[in-house]
Amino acid sequence: MERDEATLYIRQQCLISFEDALKMQPETRLEKIFSTLDLYPIISRLPRKHNGPRGYNAKYKLRALIAAKIEQIPTMAALVRRLKNDPVFRYICGFGVIASVPSEATMSRFLRELTETGILKELFKSLVNKAEQMGIIDCTSIAIDSTKIEAYEKTKPRKYVSQNGKSADWGVKRNTDGNTEAWFGYKVHAAVDTKSELPVAITVTPANVHNSEIALKLVKKASSVLVKSPKFYLMDSAYDCNDIYETIKNDFHAQAIIALNLRGTRQPRAGFDFDGTPVCSAGFRMVYWGSDNGVNKFRCPHVLDKAECPFGTDWCSSSNYGMVIKTKIEDDSRLFCSPHRGTKNWQKLYDERTSVERYFGRQKKHLGLESITVQGTKKVETHAYLCAIALIATVTAVNTAEREQKAA
C-alpha cells in the first residue's frame, strides 16, 4: 500500500456560502454587510476630506460602490438612478431617505480618487485578515490563475497598441475545448484560498502578459497579507518554470503543486520518467514509498508485485527489500516534489486548484467582473478590487450573523 508522510488538509466548508447569501432579501443582505464593514480607517486615509459639492460623505459613496457590485448594477449612471429611485437602497447606503444623492460626475471623481490613492487594497487586506481570524480563510493551500476581461475601449491593431503596461493589449489562450482564442483587454490574476474560495491577492495586467510572469508577485502579496504561511501553491501547466518552483521552496518555504508542461520536451532526464519517477535499469518505473523531510523514497517494482522483472531482484539488490532510490527536492525543485507528482495525495491537492476557477465564475456571474466601463489597467484593477471586496464582505458578514444567531 502506498504511503505518504505529507500532511494534507481535509476540506471543510465555511458556515454559510456566498450562494446562500444571495438567497436573502437584498435589504437584509446589505444591512448585514454594512453593519460589519468598518470603512472609517480606510476613508480617513484619503489625502483630503472628501465631500462632494453637497457634502456627500465618502463612507456612503464607498458603500454605494460596494452595493453596486452586490446588486449587479452595471454602470455609474445606473447606480445613481437606483439611489434616486429606491429610498430603501439609498438609506441603507447611508444617504437620507429624502436627501439628494451624488451625481454621476461626483461618483466618478470619487472612484478616480480611490484608484489614485490605492486605498481599496488596504480595505481588501483588512477583510482578508478578518476572514482569516474568523477561520473562514484557512491558508493551507492557495490556488493561482487568471481570467480574461475584454476591454471597454475600442479594439486596435497590435501595431498601434501602446506597450506601456497601462492599457489594454491583445492576449491569446486556449479555451476548455483546446481551441485558441484571442481577445483585446486585460487579465485579472488571483490567488485564492482553496477552502473558502475567497481571494487573498489580486492584480490586473494587459492581456499579453504571461501568467508565469505574475505568479511570484501574487505569492509575495499573499504571503504579506496572511498571518499563517501557506503550505501549497497550486497552478496549472502555464506556470511550469523552474524559477517559480525554486522561489516558492526557498523563499516562502512552501511546495509548488504545478502540472508539467511537456510541450517541447524531447526526453526525460536520464534515469527518470517525465514526472520525476526513477526508472530502474530494467526500464520499469519504481514505486513511490513516501516522503520525509524533502526526500522521496522509491522501491523496486518487482519486489512490490508492480512489475514482472525477468532479472528478478538479485540483479539490482541482494536485499529482500529490493533496490531503493531516494530523490531530494532541493536537487531539482521542478522534477521532485512532496507529495510526489502523480500520487493520490498530489492529485488531491492539484484538484483543489479548481477553487480559483469557481471564484472567477462567481465574480463574473454575480458581481459583474466582466462588466467594465473603465479604461486602463489601474482603473480595471480598482473594479476588480471592488468585486473582490464585495465577495469577501458578503461571506464574512453573513457568517458573522450566523454565528451570533447560534450563540444567542
Side-chain angles (χ1 to χ4, degrees), residues 36-55:
T36 59
L37 193 58
D38 186 8
L39 299 179
Y40 178 76
I42 303 300
I43 294 300
S44 63
R45 296 183 61 180
L46 287 171
R48 59 185 174 83
K49 187 175 180 181
H50 198 287
N51 291 321
R54 299 185 182 182

Side-chain angles (χ1 to χ4, degrees), residues 18-19 21-22 29-30 33 65-75 149 197-199 358-372 382-395:
F18 179 73
E19 282 74 14
L22 292 178
R29 183 170 61 241
L30 288 175
I33 292 170
L65 291 175
I66 296 172
K69 300 304 179 186
I70 297 169
E71 295 298 295
Q72 301 186 56
I73 301 173
T75 65
I149 300 293
E197 299 180 357
L198 294 179
R358 289 189 289 274
Y359 162 71
F360 285 133
R362 290 187 183 97
Q363 291 277 282
K364 291 182 176 182
K365 182 178 180 181
H366 300 295
L367 296 167
L369 181 63
E370 288 183 310
S371 304
I372 63 170
T382 297
H383 172 73
Y385 267 110
L386 280 171
C387 292
I389 287 167
L391 177 64
I392 302 174
T394 300
V395 174

Side-chain angles (χ1 to χ4, degrees), residues 286-337:
M286 299 190 70
V287 179
Y288 177 61
W289 207 249
S291 177
D292 184 23
N293 293 325
V295 177
N296 292 337
K297 179 180 178 181
F298 299 85
R299 290 183 60 190
C300 171
H302 179 80
V303 170
L304 299 172
D305 294 326
K306 299 294 184 179
E308 189 63 37
C309 180
F311 305 104
T313 60
D314 293 338
W315 188 40
C316 298
S317 174
S318 59
S319 170
N320 292 332
Y321 194 76
M323 184 176 68
V324 172
I325 291 181
K326 295 182 179 180
T327 60
K328 294 182 179 180
I329 297 174
E330 63 184 19
D331 291 339
D332 190 331
S333 55
R334 175 181 179 269
L335 196 60
F336 309 134
C337 63

